[in-house]
Amino acid sequence: MGYAADPRVDTYIDALPAWQQEICRHVRDLVHRADPEVAETVKRTRQPYFVLDGNICALLAAKEHVNVFLYDGAIVPDPEGIITAGHDNKTARTVAFKRGDQINDRALRQMFKEIIANNRAGGWRKVKERARVHRAAPL
Protein backbone atom coordinates (compact mmCIF):
# COMPACT_ATOMS: atom_id res chain seq x y z
CA MET A 1 0.00 0.00 0.00
CA GLY A 2 1.73 3.15 -1.20
CA TYR A 3 -1.03 5.66 -0.49
CA ALA A 4 -2.60 7.53 2.41
CA ALA A 5 -5.53 5.44 3.61
CA ASP A 6 -8.45 7.19 5.27
CA PRO A 7 -9.19 5.28 8.50
CA ARG A 8 -12.92 5.81 7.91
CA VAL A 9 -12.62 3.86 4.67
CA ASP A 10 -10.79 1.12 6.57
CA THR A 11 -13.63 1.04 9.11
CA TYR A 12 -16.22 0.69 6.33
CA ILE A 13 -14.32 -2.13 4.62
CA ASP A 14 -13.40 -3.95 7.83
CA ALA A 15 -17.10 -4.24 8.79
CA LEU A 16 -17.93 -6.18 5.59
CA PRO A 17 -17.90 -9.94 5.01
CA ALA A 18 -14.48 -11.23 3.89
CA TRP A 19 -15.43 -11.62 0.22
CA GLN A 20 -16.66 -8.00 0.06
CA GLN A 21 -13.56 -6.78 1.89
CA GLU A 22 -11.44 -8.45 -0.78
CA ILE A 23 -13.33 -6.74 -3.60
CA CYS A 24 -13.25 -3.32 -1.91
CA ARG A 25 -9.53 -3.52 -1.16
CA HIS A 26 -8.81 -4.62 -4.71
CA VAL A 27 -10.79 -1.73 -6.22
CA ARG A 28 -9.20 0.66 -3.72
CA ASP A 29 -5.73 -0.41 -4.84
CA LEU A 30 -6.70 -0.11 -8.52
CA VAL A 31 -7.98 3.45 -8.19
CA HIS A 32 -4.81 4.48 -6.35
CA ARG A 33 -2.67 2.80 -9.02
CA ALA A 34 -4.53 4.81 -11.67
CA ASP A 35 -3.01 7.98 -10.18
CA PRO A 36 -0.89 8.41 -7.05
CA GLU A 37 -2.67 11.69 -6.22
CA VAL A 38 -6.05 10.01 -5.63
CA ALA A 39 -7.41 10.78 -2.16
CA GLU A 40 -9.91 8.90 -0.05
CA THR A 41 -12.80 10.39 1.84
CA VAL A 42 -16.19 9.47 3.23
CA LYS A 43 -19.42 11.09 2.06
CA ARG A 44 -23.04 10.48 2.96
CA THR A 45 -21.98 9.60 6.50
CA ARG A 46 -20.07 6.40 5.73
CA GLN A 47 -19.65 5.71 2.00
CA PRO A 48 -16.05 5.57 0.72
CA TYR A 49 -15.27 7.92 -2.16
CA PHE A 50 -12.08 8.28 -4.18
CA VAL A 51 -11.46 11.78 -5.47
CA LEU A 52 -9.02 13.82 -7.53
CA ASP A 53 -10.28 17.17 -8.83
CA GLY A 54 -13.75 15.66 -8.41
CA ASN A 55 -15.33 12.30 -7.72
CA ILE A 56 -13.80 9.26 -9.41
CA CYS A 57 -15.72 6.44 -7.80
CA ALA A 58 -17.48 5.29 -4.66
CA LEU A 59 -17.98 1.91 -3.01
CA LEU A 60 -21.27 0.59 -1.72
CA ALA A 61 -21.60 -2.94 -0.40
CA ALA A 62 -25.04 -4.50 -0.74
CA LYS A 63 -26.18 -7.89 0.51
CA GLU A 64 -25.19 -9.89 -2.58
CA HIS A 65 -22.68 -7.63 -4.34
CA VAL A 66 -20.39 -4.60 -4.17
CA ASN A 67 -21.24 -1.59 -6.34
CA VAL A 68 -18.48 0.59 -7.71
CA PHE A 69 -20.06 3.86 -8.83
CA LEU A 70 -18.06 5.51 -11.61
CA TYR A 71 -18.62 9.28 -11.72
CA ASP A 72 -18.13 9.90 -15.41
CA GLY A 73 -21.37 11.29 -16.83
CA ALA A 74 -21.50 8.22 -19.09
CA ILE A 75 -18.77 9.61 -21.36
CA VAL A 76 -15.87 7.27 -20.62
CA PRO A 77 -15.83 4.41 -23.15
CA ASP A 78 -16.55 0.88 -21.90
CA PRO A 79 -15.12 -1.26 -24.71
CA GLU A 80 -14.97 -4.39 -22.55
CA GLY A 81 -18.54 -4.06 -21.27
CA ILE A 82 -17.78 -3.97 -17.55
CA ILE A 83 -20.58 -1.49 -16.73
CA THR A 84 -23.49 -3.43 -15.22
CA ALA A 85 -26.02 -0.63 -14.58
CA GLY A 86 -26.73 3.03 -15.18
CA HIS A 87 -25.79 3.03 -18.85
CA ASP A 88 -27.89 6.12 -19.50
CA ASN A 89 -27.37 7.72 -16.09
CA LYS A 90 -26.34 11.36 -16.37
CA THR A 91 -23.96 11.25 -13.38
CA ALA A 92 -22.67 7.78 -12.55
CA ARG A 93 -22.65 4.25 -13.87
CA THR A 94 -22.15 1.09 -11.86
CA VAL A 95 -19.91 -1.94 -11.98
CA ALA A 96 -21.30 -4.59 -9.62
CA PHE A 97 -19.20 -7.47 -8.33
CA LYS A 98 -20.65 -10.59 -6.75
CA ARG A 99 -18.83 -13.17 -4.66
CA GLY A 100 -16.32 -14.97 -6.88
CA ASP A 101 -16.42 -12.47 -9.76
CA GLN A 102 -13.15 -11.67 -11.48
CA ILE A 103 -12.30 -7.97 -11.65
CA ASN A 104 -11.08 -6.83 -15.05
CA ASP A 105 -8.17 -4.80 -13.66
CA ARG A 106 -7.05 -3.42 -17.01
CA ALA A 107 -10.50 -2.18 -18.05
CA LEU A 108 -11.44 -0.72 -14.65
CA ARG A 109 -8.08 0.98 -14.15
CA GLN A 110 -8.31 2.48 -17.66
CA MET A 111 -11.75 3.86 -16.85
CA PHE A 112 -10.37 5.36 -13.61
CA LYS A 113 -7.56 7.01 -15.59
CA GLU A 114 -10.01 8.50 -18.08
CA ILE A 115 -12.29 9.79 -15.32
CA ILE A 116 -9.28 11.40 -13.64
CA ALA A 117 -8.21 13.00 -16.94
CA ASN A 118 -11.73 14.39 -17.38
CA ASN A 119 -11.70 15.69 -13.80
CA ARG A 120 -8.42 17.47 -14.47
CA ALA A 121 -9.92 18.96 -17.63
CA GLY A 122 -12.70 20.57 -15.58
CA GLY A 123 -14.98 17.63 -14.87
CA TRP A 124 -17.17 15.44 -17.03
CA ARG A 125 -19.86 18.12 -17.35
CA LYS A 126 -17.41 20.57 -18.94
CA VAL A 127 -15.82 17.87 -21.10
CA LYS A 128 -19.27 16.81 -22.31
CA GLU A 129 -20.28 20.42 -23.06
CA ARG A 130 -17.04 21.07 -24.98
CA ALA A 131 -17.68 17.96 -27.07
CA ARG A 132 -21.26 19.08 -27.75
CA VAL A 133 -20.15 22.57 -28.80
CA HIS A 134 -17.36 21.13 -30.94
CA ARG A 135 -19.82 18.81 -32.76
CA ALA A 136 -22.23 21.72 -33.32
CA ALA A 137 -19.57 24.13 -34.65
CA PRO A 138 -19.84 24.78 -38.41
CA LEU A 139 -16.92 23.77 -40.58
Side-chain angles (χ1 to χ4, degrees):
M1 184 171 89
Y3 51 84
D6 185 316
R8 298 170 302 167
V9 174
D10 289 324
T11 298
Y12 178 87
I13 293 172
D14 291 345
L16 301 173
W19 68 270
Q20 289 182 322
Q21 289 180 30
E22 183 179 330
I23 291 168
C24 288
R25 288 186 181 117
H26 190 95
V27 171
R28 180 191 213 180
D29 290 342
L30 277 178
V31 72
H32 282 287
R33 281 194 277 146
D35 192 297
E37 294 181 26
V38 168
E40 300 181 358
T41 191
V42 167
K43 297 182 182 185
R44 294 169 177 69
T45 310
R46 64 185 282 263
Q47 190 172 0
Y49 273 71
F50 301 88
V51 298
L52 179 56
D53 294 331
N55 292 332
I56 301 163
C57 67
L59 300 174
L60 179 61
K63 185 175 180 177
E64 300 293 327
H65 62 280
V66 173
N67 284 320
V68 179
F69 294 100
L70 302 174
Y71 290 92
D72 69 341
I75 62 174
V76 171
D78 179 22
E80 299 196 38
I82 67 170
I83 300 295
T84 56
H87 295 278
D88 297 322
N89 191 304
K90 290 183 171 40
T91 304
R93 296 181 288 174
T94 305
V95 182
F97 297 104
K98 296 178 181 171
R99 182 192 308 249
D101 282 353
Q102 283 293 116
I103 296 174
N104 184 333
D105 289 4
R106 185 176 40 77
L108 188 55
R109 187 171 174 216
Q110 183 59 39
M111 291 185 87
F112 289 152
K113 286 182 172 194
E114 292 184 39
I115 293 167
I116 291 165
N118 289 342
N119 286 354
R120 286 186 165 145
W124 65 263
R125 287 176 178 89
K126 285 187 180 180
V127 170
K128 206 174 205 177
E129 177 61 19
R130 277 188 229 126
R132 187 192 66 76
V133 169
H134 178 71
R135 283 191 308 271
L139 299 176

